[in-house]
Amino acid sequence: MTQKLSIIKIGGNVIENKTELSKFLKLFADFDGFKILVHGGGKLATQLATKLGIESKMVDGRRITDAETLEVITMVYAGLTNKNIVAQLQANKCNAIGLSGADGNAILAHKRPVEEIDYGFAGDVDGVNKKMISKLLKADLTPVFCAMSHDGHGQLLNTNADTIAAEVAIHMSSFYDTTLYYCFEKKGVLKDISDEDSVIAQIDNPSYTKLLSEGIIADGMIPKIDNCFNAIERGVEKVCIGHHSMLDSKNELFTTITI
Amino acid sequence: MTQKLSIIKIGGNVIENKTELSKFLKLFADFDGFKILVHGGGKLATQLATKLGIESKMVDGRRITDAETLEVITMVYAGLTNKNIVAQLQANKCNAIGLSGADGNAILAHKRPVEEIDYGFAGDVDGVNKKMISKLLKADLTPVFCAMSHDGHGQLLNTNADTIAAEVAIHMSSFYDTTLYYCFEKKGVLKDISDEDSVIAQIDNPSYTKLLSEGIIADGMIPKIDNCFNAIERGVEKVCIGHHSMLDSKNELFTTITI
């Protein structure tokens, strides 16, 4: 029987809130089976950039990563955030090991080609070193990825944490029964945006088509869910979307996406 | 037969000079056998602290690590410096994995007790997770340590890179024939401080006593060499001191310290 592996992604809302982060890390440490954490960077990088007088450039909500910004990101994501998460997981008896995509050649990417917009040092993922990651898991280590990749020629690259999580999950699914958990502010995908508890328990391909046609899933939620279906179509068993408290086995209120 | 392992420590003089660092990393990547790199932080942390308006406090050449300074160190040592070294080693086909002492519970320490001086978040090493490090080596990974430890209770700590290198070498020597390389500005321990080429090829216990009594080894060099003898007495095969070009097999001009 194939072993289970959970890839869990947390975003800025958890990282920036010490109490929430501490609660989440306890849940994560206690979570059964092989697991991998992927964390975004949150506002800390922007705050540090501001302190250093570096202007944060965004286009359509995406960061433009110039050389100075890449340095800030490397310091905040791979340094401050990653190592504090690792140290706290260790305190919770989870043998975490912090990684960027350069470490162990974990996540290989190429610099996004310049078309209409020059995103700078942004990396589009080409591959995940699933054998190396599997060796770490078998050595009882729990990988903690920050949202960085590398190009194999010495260049670190900034890569979206959702993408890192999806790509790691997709590639690891050839070795493991892989579940991808996207943690965010809401309890799940909502039927009624004004009702926090109107969580849709399960979405599959036919029901997604229906939800789209009814306009229940709209706007920013569409690319998120498209991303989940992409992961499922490429081998991931299921994707769960919800508040990080969904890692608590007593909590059943979150959205599961399957084929 | 026990396998050989080399622990190589580089300091700020290499890290701060892009050309030298690039030369060193090529030599390191080509260096035969199991190996571990330990790097200090150099002036980058002080420079970042200055930019952020954080005063760098030093007492007798040792940094006082307050909470703000620890954040800066975590960003620079574990983030910027460590990840750029790892990415460059990957470009040189060396499968490097960057680690702080928290990663994989690699280096456990306790906060230095406050006596006459409060060093802040400075860590004195209690143990090295030699089994975990050995698993990484056997998985064809090359650990790259920055000069940080943790206390196992969620606190990162600043630990001198020379100490990290010595402790890793000492603990790994129960599994491997371990050689510790300290790279610094000079070609080795000099007989005549004004002659850069007057390198003493070999120092053992009797010759060290003689060199001390003659005043040839004096001042700052004494604690350095005491540190080397400490490593040898605790199981390290030999310690080499010299310029990083000593990693080039054609170079025979450096100092070897043995019992």
Side-chain angles (χ1 to χ4, degrees):
Chain A
M1 209 186 75
T2 315
Q3 284 178 296
K4 283 179 190 296
L5 170 67
S6 306
I7 285 91
I8 298 158
K9 188 258 167 178
I10 50 166
N13 63 314
V14 185
I15 290 162
E16 287 152 24
N17 182 325
K18 277 195 179 176
T19 317
E20 280 303 296
L21 180 60
S22 165
K23 272 190 213 166
F24 165 76
L25 292 175
K26 201 181 165 337
L27 275 176
F28 179 84
D30 291 343
F31 200 68
D32 271 345
F34 287 127
K35 57 201 171 189
I36 294 172
L37 178 59
V38 179
H39 64 84
K43 289 176 201 142
L44 278 170
T46 310
Q47 285 165 1
L48 179 64
T50 306
K51 278 190 199 168
L52 294 171
I54 300 164
E55 193 192 341
S56 290
K57 296 172 211 91
M58 310 285 277
V59 174
D60 298 334
R62 301 179 90 159
R63 192 187 291 278
I64 306 293
T65 315
D66 60 13
E68 277 183 319
T69 305
L70 184 72
E71 286 200 353
V72 167
I73 282 171
T74 310
M75 292 196 284
V76 174
Y77 294 3
L80 194 61
T81 306
N82 190 267
K83 295 315 162 201
N84 275 301
I85 287 176
V86 167
Q88 283 187 59
L89 284 174
Q90 289 289 344
N92 281 297
K93 305 295 170 215
C94 168
N95 201 4
I97 186 165
L99 302 169
S100 73
D103 297 293
N105 192 25
I107 302 162
L108 204 61
H110 62 273
K111 187 173 174 296
R112 189 171 302 153
V114 178
E115 290 172 0
E116 281 167 46
I117 298 163
D118 181 358
Y119 286 102
F121 296 102
D124 291 326
V125 176
D126 294 316
V128 172
N129 192 345
K130 58 189 179 187
K131 284 189 187 168
M132 188 278 299
I133 296 172
S134 194
K135 281 181 190 173
L136 296 182
L137 292 169
K138 283 178 184 150
D140 293 322
L141 290 162
T142 296
V144 176
F145 281 102
C146 66
M148 297 197 76
S149 57
H150 80 136
D151 72 353
H153 303 290
Q155 183 64 57
L156 294 163
L157 295 164
N158 182 17
T159 296
N160 179 276
D162 281 9
T163 307
I164 297 262
E167 290 289 340
V168 169
I170 290 162
H171 286 83
M172 296 311 290
S173 69
S174 56
F175 290 156
Y176 299 88
D177 265 351
T178 302
T179 303
L180 174 57
Y181 294 84
Y182 279 120
C183 303
F184 75 149
E185 302 85 354
K186 311 260 178 215
K187 291 178 185 165
V189 182
L190 303 180
K191 209 169 220 163
D192 173 1
I193 198 98
S194 64
D195 178 2
E196 288 288 336
D197 288 323
S198 67
V199 173
I200 304 168
Q202 193 137 1
I203 301 174
D204 57 16
N205 248 322
S207 68
Y208 183 43
T209 311
K210 192 159 174 285
L211 288 162
L212 278 175
S213 70
E214 292 167 351
I216 292 171
I217 293 178
D219 306 325
M221 199 45 101
I222 298 176
K224 258 193 204 296
I225 299 190
D226 283 348
N227 193 27
C228 298
F229 275 109
N230 172 41
I232 290 165
E233 279 154 19
R234 290 169 66 200
V236 175
E237 191 79 8
K238 61 179 178 178
V239 183
C240 301
I241 303 186
H243 186 262
H244 63 76
S245 58
M246 70 179 153
L247 297 190
D248 185 337
S249 56
K250 285 170 285 183
N251 184 357
E252 291 175 347
L253 197 61
F254 55 87
T255 303
T256 302
I257 299 175
T258 56
I259 292 179
Chain B
M1 209 187 75
T2 316
Q3 285 179 296
K4 282 179 192 294
L5 170 67
S6 306
I7 285 91
I8 298 158
K9 187 257 166 178
I10 50 165
N13 64 312
V14 185
I15 290 162
E16 288 151 24
N17 182 325
K18 278 196 178 173
T19 318
E20 279 303 296
L21 180 60
S22 164
K23 272 189 213 168
F24 165 76
L25 292 175
K26 199 179 166 341
L27 274 176
F28 179 83
D30 292 344
F31 200 68
D32 272 344
F34 288 129
K35 58 202 170 189
I36 293 172
L37 179 59
V38 179
H39 63 84
K43 289 176 201 142
L44 279 170
T46 311
Q47 284 166 2
L48 179 64
T50 306
K51 276 190 200 168
L52 294 171
I54 301 164
E55 194 192 342
S56 289
K57 298 173 210 91
M58 310 284 278
V59 174
D60 298 335
R62 300 178 91 160
R63 192 187 293 275
I64 305 294
T65 315
D66 60 15
E68 278 184 318
T69 305
L70 185 72
E71 286 199 353
V72 167
I73 282 171
T74 310
M75 293 196 284
V76 174
Y77 294 4
L80 194 61
T81 306
N82 190 267
K83 296 315 163 201
N84 275 301
I85 287 176
V86 167
Q88 283 187 59
L89 284 174
Q90 289 289 344
N92 282 296
K93 305 295 170 215
C94 168
N95 200 4
I97 185 164
L99 302 169
S100 73
D103 297 294
N105 192 25
I107 301 162
L108 204 60
H110 61 274
K111 186 173 175 295
R112 188 171 302 151
V114 178
E115 290 172 2
E116 282 166 47
I117 299 162
D118 181 358
Y119 287 102
F121 296 103
D124 291 325
V125 177
D126 293 317
V128 172
N129 192 344
K130 58 190 179 188
K131 283 188 187 166
M132 188 279 298
I133 297 172
S134 196
K135 280 181 190 171
L136 296 182
L137 292 169
K138 282 177 185 151
D140 292 323
L141 291 162
T142 297
V144 176
F145 281 101
C146 67
M148 297 197 76
S149 58
H150 79 137
D151 73 352
H153 304 289
Q155 182 64 58
L156 294 163
L157 294 164
N158 181 17
T159 296
N160 178 277
D162 281 9
T163 307
I164 298 263
E167 290 290 339
V168 170
I170 289 162
H171 285 83
M172 296 311 288
S173 69
S174 57
F175 291 156
Y176 299 89
D177 266 350
T178 303
T179 303
L180 174 57
Y181 294 84
Y182 278 121
C183 303
F184 75 150
E185 302 84 354
K186 311 262 177 212
K187 291 178 186 164
V189 181
L190 304 180
K191 210 171 219 163
D192 174 1
I193 198 101
S194 63
D195 177 3
E196 288 287 337
D197 288 323
S198 68
V199 173
I200 304 167
Q202 191 139 3
I203 300 174
D204 56 16
N205 249 321
S207 70
Y208 184 42
T209 312
K210 193 159 172 285
L211 288 162
L212 278 175
S213 70
E214 290 168 351
I216 290 170
I217 293 177
D219 306 325
M221 199 43 103
I222 297 175
K224 258 192 202 298
I225 299 190
D226 283 348
N227 193 26
C228 298
F229 275 109
N230 172 43
I232 290 166
E233 279 153 18
R234 290 170 65 199
V236 176
E237 191 80 7
K238 61 179 179 178
V239 183
C240 301
I241 303 185
H243 187 262
H244 63 76
S245 58
M246 70 179 155
L247 297 190
D248 185 337
S249 56
K250 285 171 284 183
N251 184 356
E252 292 175 347
L253 197 62
F254 56 86
T255 303
T256 303
I257 298 175
T258 57
I259 294 180

